[in-house]
Amino acid sequence: MKLFVIGKPIKHSLSPLIHNCWIKKYNIDVKYEKKEIDLLHLEKIISEIRHEKIKGINVTLPYKKIITRFIDEMSQTAKDSEAVNTVFFKENKIYGDNTDGKGFIESIEKEMKFDFEKKKIFIIGAGGAAYGILSQLNKKKVGPVFVANRTKEKLNNLVNHFKSKKSDIFQSNWSALKPPDDTDIIINTTSFGMKKGELIEINYKGLTNSTIFADIIYKPKETEFLKFARLQGFKTINGLDMLIRQAAISFNLWFGISLTEQDIKNAKDICDKAC
């Protein structure tokens, strides 16, 4: 039996390193691999899960939203996120969940000792990752959330999607990225920064030294965005811990095994060596 992470491109994925580390420890007779597929093959891979030829899949770009059309039942988190990153077969149904937002929240809470309640949040980006993170922030009773995005239409769609659940979510100006004074955490949910020299410039006046700069990118380990923040004296965290913690939630959905903090650390050590 196999598990896959699917997407296009997929060669950069660290997911096989993470999952096979845990599969080996818990002596599970399954292998986790990367699989680059075209859009036309999505239905086929879902059929293989339905017929139990494949245990399940993780889904990455560009298929997190598209794959929802093939899912029989989605978790509330997946519905709120309008995206699925974990698929499995249970009780004669194809289930879809989204573990990205939960992974991010756990990462910040555990690694940065951060309590989200009533905190002021500034999000950069209005893509699938922003939806996933916002769906979980709503459960943490955070304070006001401000979102900036290059494309106005996508920003409008995201804010309108969450407005009924959270009245204090506001659009912010992309052309002059200025988080409100005393913003507690700034989150880059875009892929901008993966290439060398790409920098999202933030007007940091009014921020305190306790402000956290978080980037969901994990390769490179330190984006220009995080480097800029670190040099100004702010706390920073990249996306590696988020990647591992969302993977741990997927692992639990497939196997019913709750991984320990030591399991998280073991996977992180392996990924650090590979990056």
Side-chain angles (χ1 to χ4, degrees):
M1 189 73 78
K2 287 186 177 181
L3 289 159
F4 291 102
V5 55
I6 65 166
K8 188 175 182 179
I10 199 66
K11 63 181 180 180
H12 66 284
S13 177
L14 295 176
S15 293
L17 284 176
I18 296 167
H19 283 284
N20 285 324
C21 162
W22 299 330
I23 286 167
K24 182 178 179 181
K25 175 182 175 180
Y26 289 96
N27 196 28
I28 302 170
D29 187 19
V30 69
K31 189 172 182 181
Y32 188 110
E33 298 177 354
K34 304 175 190 178
K35 194 177 186 69
E36 183 169 306
I37 67 169
D38 293 320
L39 177 59
L40 293 173
H41 296 141
L42 272 182
E43 192 168 7
K44 181 177 183 293
I45 202 164
I46 291 295
S47 176
E48 289 178 332
I49 297 170
R50 193 181 298 278
H51 291 94
E52 300 184 86
K53 294 179 181 178
I54 296 173
K55 175 72 175 174
I57 56 172
N58 281 137
V59 186
T60 188
L61 296 175
Y63 301 130
K64 289 185 181 184
K65 285 185 176 291
I66 299 168
I67 204 164
T68 58
R69 69 181 69 162
F70 303 109
I71 304 298
D72 298 329
E73 192 166 318
M74 293 197 298
S75 69
Q76 189 58 51
T77 297
K79 290 176 184 176
D80 290 343
S81 306
E82 294 188 336
V84 161
N85 81 330
T86 304
V87 181
F88 54 101
F89 188 64
K90 184 178 76 171
E91 298 173 352
N92 292 316
K93 289 182 180 179
I94 296 289
Y95 281 82
D97 206 334
N98 191 311
T99 67
D100 287 333
K102 295 176 186 176
F104 175 81
I105 297 295
E106 283 189 17
S107 169
I108 302 301
E109 288 178 335
K110 300 277 188 181
E111 297 298 309
M112 308 303 286
K113 312 300 181 195
F114 186 80
D115 181 1
F116 280 94
E117 188 171 355
K118 297 181 180 178
K119 296 299 192 298
K120 191 182 293 185
I121 317 288
F122 188 84
I123 295 176
I124 303 167
Y131 277 79
I133 289 170
L134 267 165
S135 72
Q136 294 305 304
L137 286 176
N138 281 343
K139 298 176 182 179
K140 290 293 178 178
K141 299 179 181 178
V142 297
V145 174
F146 302 83
V147 187
N149 189 67
R150 190 187 302 273
T151 307
K152 189 73 172 175
E153 182 181 0
K154 288 183 70 176
L155 178 59
N156 288 338
N157 290 342
L158 180 140
V159 170
N160 290 336
H161 178 72
F162 286 101
K163 200 73 175 179
S164 62
K165 299 182 177 93
K166 184 169 181 59
S167 59
D168 54 347
I169 179 171
F170 308 101
Q171 297 189 21
S172 194
N173 188 355
W174 176 264
S175 60
L177 286 175
K178 172 68 177 73
D181 290 353
D182 300 324
T183 293
D184 295 289
I185 183 167
I186 299 168
I187 310 163
N188 175 34
T189 69
T190 76
S191 61
F192 194 80
M194 292 182 76
K195 296 178 182 176
K196 190 174 181 180
E198 291 182 337
L199 171 62
I200 299 172
E201 293 193 51
I202 294 285
N203 182 339
Y204 58 87
K205 291 181 180 177
L207 301 178
T208 68
N209 286 339
S210 63
T211 301
I212 295 171
F213 279 64
D215 200 323
I216 67 168
I217 295 170
Y218 57 86
K219 203 171 185 179
K221 289 182 180 180
E222 185 178 62
T223 58
E224 294 295 328
F225 172 75
L226 292 186
K227 181 180 179 181
F228 165 84
R230 177 175 58 80
L231 292 176
Q232 308 307 321
F234 297 107
K235 300 174 183 178
T236 64
I237 182 170
N238 69 13
L240 182 59
D241 197 71
M242 169 190 171
L243 175 73
I244 294 169
R245 290 183 185 278
Q246 65 81 19
I249 300 167
S250 294
F251 195 86
N252 180 256
L253 289 171
W254 291 323
F255 303 114
I257 297 172
S258 296
L259 297 170
T260 67
E261 284 300 308
Q262 186 59 51
D263 291 329
I264 300 295
K265 184 180 183 303
N266 291 345
K268 195 168 184 178
D269 289 343
I270 289 171
C271 290
D272 277 334
K273 291 174 184 176
C275 288

